[in-house]
Each structure stands twice: as C-alpha cells, then as structure tokens.
Amino acid sequence: MDHFLYRDGELYAEDVPLREIAATVGAPFYCYSAATFTRHFQLFDEALDGMEHLVCYAMKANSNQAILKLLGDQGAGMDVVSGGEYRRARAARVPGDRIVFSGVGKTEDEMRVAIESGIRQFNIESEPEMEVLSRVATSMGTEVPVTIRVNPDVDAKTHEKIATGKAENKFGIPISRASEVYALAANLPGLKVIGIDVHIGSQLVDLDPFRLAFRKVADLTEQLRAEGHEITRLDLGGGLGIPYERSNADPPLPRDFGQVVREEVGHLGCEIEIEPGRLIAGNAGVLVSEVIYVKQGEDRQFLILDAAMNDLIRPAMYGAHHDILPVKEPAPGEEPATYDIVGPVCESGDTFAKHRQMPAVGVGDLVAFRSAGAYGAVMASEYNSRPMIPEVLVQGDQFAVIRPRPTFDEMINRDIIPSWL
Ligand SMILES: *Cc1c(COP(=O)(O)O)cnc(C)c1O
C-alpha cells in the first residue's frame, strides 16, 4: 500500500530515487510520498461511502503543513490535540469547520483560540473541562458543538503506552456514568451537546475491540436519545494499525473497518467522524540514513547509522519494529548479514534493532526505515545536540524539502546566556 519500491536496482519514492534526494539534502532525512498519503485518505473516505461522514486526519501522527495542505485539499478534516496543532492546521488553510479538538487537558487559551477562529466540535473528556468550556464559550457570547468522549473499558490489545480505552486510562468519562454527565452538559450554557466520541487506542491489528466499543456507543446512543438528548454525530476515533513487519499477516484494511462501523452504528442515522492518523501517514514515509561504521563487537556486528533515537524514537520508546532496507537493491540470492543496528547517541537505548537479518551493507551505504511516516518526525528532538533532520515530500517525479535541516547556528543560538554570567 505504498510507493517506495525498488526500480532499476535502487529504492525509489514514487518516481524519484532516494539516492538523488540524499545527494541533495544529505542523510539522514524523512521522505514522504504524496500519492501514498492521498490514497490512504481516500481508502478511509470510500470505506464510509453511503454514510454522511468526515475523515479527520489525526495530525499528531505527522503535522508538517505540506501534509496538512495535501490532505486538506482532498477534503480531509483534522483531529487536533493542542493549540499548536490547531494553529498549524489553520496555517495550512484547513477550514475551522473541519477541525475537531481532542485531548484531556485543553486550556482556556486553547479553547478561546479555536472558538475565535472556527471549530467543528470539541471532544470533551471530563466534567471540569466541560465547565471551563461552558464558561469560555458563554463569555464569548457563543455556543459550541460538543461530543463527550466515553471510555468504554475495552481492551485494545495493543502496546500499553498507546491503549486509551481501558478504565485505568486517563481518557474520556467512564461509560457507566455517561447518563449523569450528559444530563449535566445539557444544562450548561454555551455548550450544544450533539454526539458521542470514542477512541480506544493506536496500532490495533484486530477489529474486535473496535466492534465492542462501537456497539457500546450504539447502545449509549439509544439510551441517551431515550433520555431526551439529540445525538446526531458519532466520532469513532482512529487507531487502525499498519503492517510494520512485512513478513507478518496483514492487519485489517480501512474497508474492513468501515464495514464494522456500518454494521454497528449505521442504523442510527448519525453523521460519522473517524480520526485515523497512523494508517494514513505510517507507510507514506521512510527515514533514510547512512551507515557510518560497521563495528565488530565481542559476539556481534554493530551497524552504526547517522540516524538515532532522537530522529525516530519508536524503537526505544515502544520496542517498535521497523523494516530496514538497503537503498541499493541487494543482488538475488545474496547471503544476509546479522546486525545490531544502532545510532550515535550516547545511551544503549539508542538501538533500532537487535540481531536483525538484512542484506549486507557497508560504510557510506544508505538504508531506509520503512513505515516511518507516522510518529517519526513529530516525536523527534535535538538530544545530543543533533539538529532535527529534514523532511522531503515527493509527488511523481518532483520533490521538495518541506522542512529544512536547521544550521548548527540556528540550533545553538536559540539558547540565551544571561548578561550576568
Ligand atoms: C492518537 C489519536 C488518534 C489517532 O490514532 P492512530 O492510531 O494514529 O490512528 C485519533 N484520535 C485521538 C483522540 C487520538 O489521541
């Protein structure tokens, strides 16, 4: 489902050889495929065909404005989780009435900015937040559409750091208390309660948890309607996983997800929103890095790359797997080598893979981390005073740097040495 393929003996992004981009911007860098982004968005859009719907891209997965513009132009909405993301989406010319605001800790300032500049809805996550939003909206002389995020207490069967739908997680209100909380919200000025929101986690590779959660939302819809609430919109969140390891069985597709939505909530006549992030962005990007050294250890070979955990933290943070391919296509039948693949950062956590079998590579060769388009660049830092790596977007045979690498001076001169030192 992506556009990173070998052609004439080397890895291409659409119609551009990654080698050519490396020669222009220098390794390491992120490279995204516009066609892959567009295709993934369209797959979700088509999956909900026949139901009134909006696909709100969860922009925390990859929030470069070029990506937001690309998806916004296709008709995508955005799911934002901070005032910064809201501003970024608006800067990329996404209309406010296509932006939904999620997150457990929205501040008054964030609420005000979004109300002033236009918002589709707030997804509220607690009673205290509801009261603050009511006060802010009232003080601005307006009424804002809201859904309330419920926590369905469903096991998403994913990594514990990205599971969000169990009772022990900080997200949403317990679904058992929904009746009470909706009654409270209905009586607060400045809020127009229009729906229900749910998001149970990320990198789900099984549809059953979605089905369970959506069924609970459907039951709740009927219950709340019986209690006199007008429920016209269901935000069903994101979370559909991607195949990080090509050798494994493929996870369900957007159309399978869409089918579950249809079966579980299709009869309710509600407008449907979904918030996919990873599936749209993940396989639309690679991280390209150069081999600095091949080092012989006591009992293993280390492949030391110029990319590190500060550029792509998923392996260190979640124990995540990324397939790593040589940019130059290996000859058929070539014996694979086994490496511990590491970066230059001064901690052992800076390990991308252990005992990884892959085609042999040497100093100066380029490798590509697949599935690096989501939760890659957005989670990068300058740890070890390593400048943030550039991001490049390819469309057909053209490419552009969509975020340049800062110079060392730009990075260093952000610090201020006080005059009294
Ligand atoms: C992170 C998040 C998403 C997107 O999750 P993916 O796994 O990237 O699809 C959607 N909605 C909310 C509220 C989120 O926090």
Side-chain angles (χ1 to χ4, degrees):
M1 289 219 308
D2 66 47
H3 290 75
F4 299 97
L5 298 169
Y6 286 117
R7 197 193 286 182
D8 305 327
E10 58 179 324
L11 197 59
Y12 274 64
E14 301 193 21
D15 299 328
V16 182
L18 288 170
R19 172 187 45 80
E20 193 182 313
I21 301 174
T24 313
V25 305
F29 62 92
Y30 279 101
C31 177
Y32 310 128
S33 152
T36 312
F37 266 101
T38 307
R39 177 176 144 79
H40 289 167
F41 165 72
Q42 282 167 352
L43 286 175
F44 275 113
D45 203 31
E46 286 161 20
L48 299 180
D49 247 357
M51 291 180 277
E52 196 188 339
H53 69 271
L54 183 66
V55 177
C56 296
Y57 168 59
M59 62 177 273
K60 74 176 193 277
N62 184 324
S63 55
N64 190 292
Q65 282 182 63
I67 302 302
L68 305 183
K69 175 74 166 54
L70 174 73
L71 293 173
D73 285 353
Q74 299 286 316
M78 298 290 152
D79 171 44
V80 308
V81 292
S82 72
E85 283 196 351
Y86 178 84
R87 286 176 172 88
R88 206 179 263 276
R90 296 292 285 136
R93 304 201 277 286
V94 177
D97 64 6
R98 275 198 252 142
I99 301 178
V100 303
F101 206 140
S102 301
V104 291
K106 302 176 202 80
T107 65
E108 286 192 32
D109 282 348
E110 289 176 319
M111 293 170 179
R112 201 166 290 119
V113 166
I115 295 172
E116 253 163 28
S117 175
I119 189 81
R120 179 178 179 82
Q121 99 224 2
F122 286 92
N123 295 334
I124 293 184
E125 301 223 13
S126 67
E127 288 142 293
E129 182 195 349
M130 192 181 286
E131 280 160 18
V132 171
L133 183 60
S134 166
R135 181 151 41 76
V136 172
T138 313
S139 75
M140 295 172 71
T142 187
E143 190 179 61
V144 291
V146 301
T147 71
I148 297 174
R149 178 167 177 180
V150 294
N151 185 323
D153 196 20
V154 164
D155 185 354
K157 299 187 197 123
T158 184
H159 191 282
E160 60 168 347
K161 286 186 185 163
I162 50 175
T164 58
K166 286 286 285 173
E168 71 217 41
N169 301 131
K170 67 182 176 184
F171 300 96
I173 57 151
I175 197 162
S176 54
R177 292 193 45 236
S179 208
E180 190 187 324
V181 177
Y182 271 81
L184 180 72
N187 285 321
L188 285 176
L191 305 186
K192 182 167 170 50
V193 183
I194 57 163
I196 306 172
D197 172 41
V198 72
H199 170 74
I200 57 173
S202 194
Q203 188 53 18
L204 275 71
V205 292
D206 182 356
L207 290 174
D208 290 345
F210 286 119
R211 190 180 287 283
L212 259 175
F214 299 167
R215 190 164 296 171
K216 289 189 178 197
V217 167
D219 291 345
L220 181 61
T221 304
E222 314 242 25
Q223 183 196 329
L224 292 173
R225 281 176 173 171
E227 289 166 9
H229 301 280
E230 247 185 85
I231 303 296
T232 56
R233 187 179 289 173
L234 301 179
D235 182 335
L236 300 174
L240 194 57
I242 62 172
Y244 280 102
E245 287 187 66
R246 294 307 150 108
S247 42
N248 283 4
D250 282 346
L253 301 172
R255 98 168 94 83
D256 307 321
F257 175 88
Q259 192 51 32
V260 173
V261 171
R262 206 177 304 275
E263 286 166 14
E264 298 301 330
V265 305
H267 59 288
L268 296 166
C270 286
E271 181 182 11
I272 304 298
E273 287 167 357
I274 56 171
E275 305 169 341
R278 189 188 306 271
L279 200 145
I280 290 180
N283 286 332
V286 294
L287 166 61
V288 177
S289 178
E290 188 175 316
V291 177
I292 307 178
Y293 294 114
V294 182
K295 169 171 163 175
Q296 190 59 56
E298 171 78 29
D299 59 349
R300 64 193 71 204
Q301 275 203 310
F302 293 99
L303 204 58
I304 303 178
L305 304 181
D306 64 0
M309 63 187 291
N310 69 298
D311 305 308
L312 178 66
I313 203 164
R314 298 190 64 262
M317 182 127 137
Y318 311 113
H321 173 104
H322 284 268
D323 281 349
I324 302 173
L325 312 177
V327 166
K328 185 168 167 296
E329 188 172 17
E334 202 179 282
E335 274 295 300
T338 303
Y339 303 112
D340 277 19
I341 304 174
V342 303
V345 160
C346 299
E347 60 172 276
S348 297
D350 186 21
T351 298
F352 291 121
K354 285 196 159 151
H355 310 297
R356 176 68 65 88
Q357 275 214 343
M358 65 174 281
V361 288
V363 173
D365 286 350
L366 296 170
V367 297
F369 289 69
R370 295 191 77 104
S371 313
Y375 307 105
V378 285
M379 294 180 94
S381 75
E382 288 174 343
Y383 185 39
N384 277 214
S385 286
R386 295 165 45 85
M388 303 267 267
I389 65 177
E391 294 174 88
V392 172
L393 181 65
V394 172
Q395 183 165 52
D397 62 1
Q398 51 185 346
F399 72 91
V401 174
I402 57 173
R403 179 180 294 168
R405 188 193 311 277
T407 64
F408 284 105
D409 280 348
E410 282 166 346
M411 178 176 73
I412 293 164
N413 293 340
R414 283 205 305 269
D415 298 354
I416 298 169
I417 301 177
S419 60
W420 36 264
L421 273 187

